[in-house]
Amino acid sequence: MFQRVRNAIGDIFQQVDPVLLALCCAATLFGLVEIASATHYMGTLRYVLVQGGAAVIGVLAYFLMSLVDLNELSKGWKWMLLFNVVLILLLRTPLGVDDGTGNRAWLYIPHFPVSLQPAELVKLTFAVILARQLVWLQEEKKLNAVPSVAFLGAHILGLVGLYYMASGDMGSALVYIFIFACMAFAAGVKARWFALGLAGGGAAFYLLWELDKISDYMKDRFRLILDHDLDPQGVGWHQSRSLLALGSGKLTGQGLFHGTQTQSEFSWSLPARHTDFIFSAIGEELGLLGCVAALALLTAIVIRCLVVAYRARTRLESYICVAMAAMLIFQTVINVGMCLFLVPVIGLTLPFFSYGGSSLVTLFAAMGMVSGIRKRSLPEWLR
């Protein structure tokens, strides 16, 4: 009996990338410990239990997605596109709820135990659809021809425009743009198109700024990056407390469950310490060494994704791996930049570390896609 169980477990693990799974689980456990510390002052284990439950579901999603042949799945791109549109539009129904920051980015389903963030799920289907489009343009058209680039541009602008109008969530919209840029670059889109896109995006941003289509609150977030003393008690409060927490941790930190701000229940303490600013909580309690360890785990996961992309059996699978790596890179860089007062606060969490069930399950599912690609790229005798 024991031998059969061991063989069954061995067969299951042969279907996945154990190294990638181990890295993801290590980062998640690290995050769980810090979430437990960052929410200790509340006197509840709710956040730890929810994140732990999401981690279990995420691991199951990892195994499930490892079994999916993405080349076959991509053939249903029309249904996935419809899924993306419907899921985003649900944010404008009574199911869509403001998360407290002015963004209508969550779906609260009655009698359902947790909320759902559509932006997280759409990242996966968007990557599959875009990968198929890139391969189709390479095989059937000329990738760098004006009609091809216009086709790709219409896809990303349509998705980002629809999502931003439905939710007002600029952070997730920027993630889509970065994923698109990395996949297009990997596919061979010429640099001149990226330069044109940057120029157009900059001009559009300037126009929106001048026409007051960007809220004053968001404008102040951008002004703060140039002048940290602009409004330290208001818009700059989050990032000023973040810098204080990171600085007070020094090399080894003040110790888990002992951070001055992380353990404080007063309003002057570090806000969003278990979500957007968990990196600052890590810095305060575990110091520079803790921050380096967190970033090392995320870097290892990104490198693993890129290695699988390099060895992938098909171009479509390679582009999907690039998309997953891009998602991790952008969210990590922006989140750490927010904590270091280098970029505006746009509500992006630290992958695998920050509290958030939808995000964690999606991340494991994304890594499961990479795991399945690695499995199918191996010679038959190694599968």
Side-chain angles (χ1 to χ4, degrees), residues 28-57 114 257 274-275 278 352-357 360:
T28 302
L29 289 173
F30 191 160
L32 264 174
V33 172
E34 190 56 47
I35 289 171
S37 180
T39 58
H40 178 68
Y41 76 99
M42 299 180 185
T44 177
L45 291 175
R46 175 183 176 275
Y47 297 96
V48 177
L49 294 176
V50 170
Q51 190 77 348
V56 173
I57 297 173
V114 295
F257 298 92
H274 62 297
T275 53
I278 195 169
F352 292 106
F353 288 85
S354 295
Y355 172 78
L360 187 60

Side-chain angles (χ1 to χ4, degrees), residues 233-314:
Q233 299 297 319
V235 180
W237 178 257
H238 290 67
Q239 290 171 293
S240 61
R241 305 312 297 179
S242 171
L243 279 184
L244 182 61
L246 285 167
S248 63
K250 299 182 181 179
L251 180 63
T252 57
Q254 300 175 9
L256 275 173
F257 298 92
H258 290 90
T260 302
Q261 289 195 76
T262 304
Q263 300 304 319
S264 174
E265 60 185 21
F266 297 108
S267 59
W268 51 261
S269 302
L270 178 68
R273 64 195 76 169
H274 62 297
T275 53
D276 291 4
F277 289 92
I278 195 169
F279 186 75
S280 302
I282 293 173
E284 182 178 59
E285 296 199 327
L286 300 176
L288 177 62
L289 295 180
C291 292
V292 170
L295 293 178
L297 282 171
L298 290 171
T299 301
I301 295 172
V302 169
I303 292 174
R304 190 67 174 178
C305 291
L306 294 177
V307 169
V308 175
Y310 180 74
R311 297 174 177 174
R313 181 182 55 174
T314 65

Side-chain angles (χ1 to χ4, degrees), residues 83-92 118 122 159 162-163 166:
F83 170 81
N84 290 352
V85 173
V86 171
L87 194 61
I88 291 172
L89 290 178
L90 283 175
L91 292 171
R92 302 311 302 176
V122 171
L159 175 67
L162 178 66
Y163 179 74

Side-chain angles (χ1 to χ4, degrees), residues 186-208:
V189 173
K190 296 292 181 63
R192 63 175 181 269
W193 293 117
F194 291 105
L196 185 61
L198 283 173
F205 181 79
Y206 176 77
L207 187 62
L208 291 172

Side-chain angles (χ1 to χ4, degrees), residues 8-30:
I9 294 175
D11 290 340
I12 291 174
F13 273 91
Q14 285 180 0
Q15 302 303 314
V16 302
D17 182 350
V19 174
L20 183 58
L21 178 60
L23 290 171
C24 294
C25 288
T28 302
L29 289 173
F30 191 160

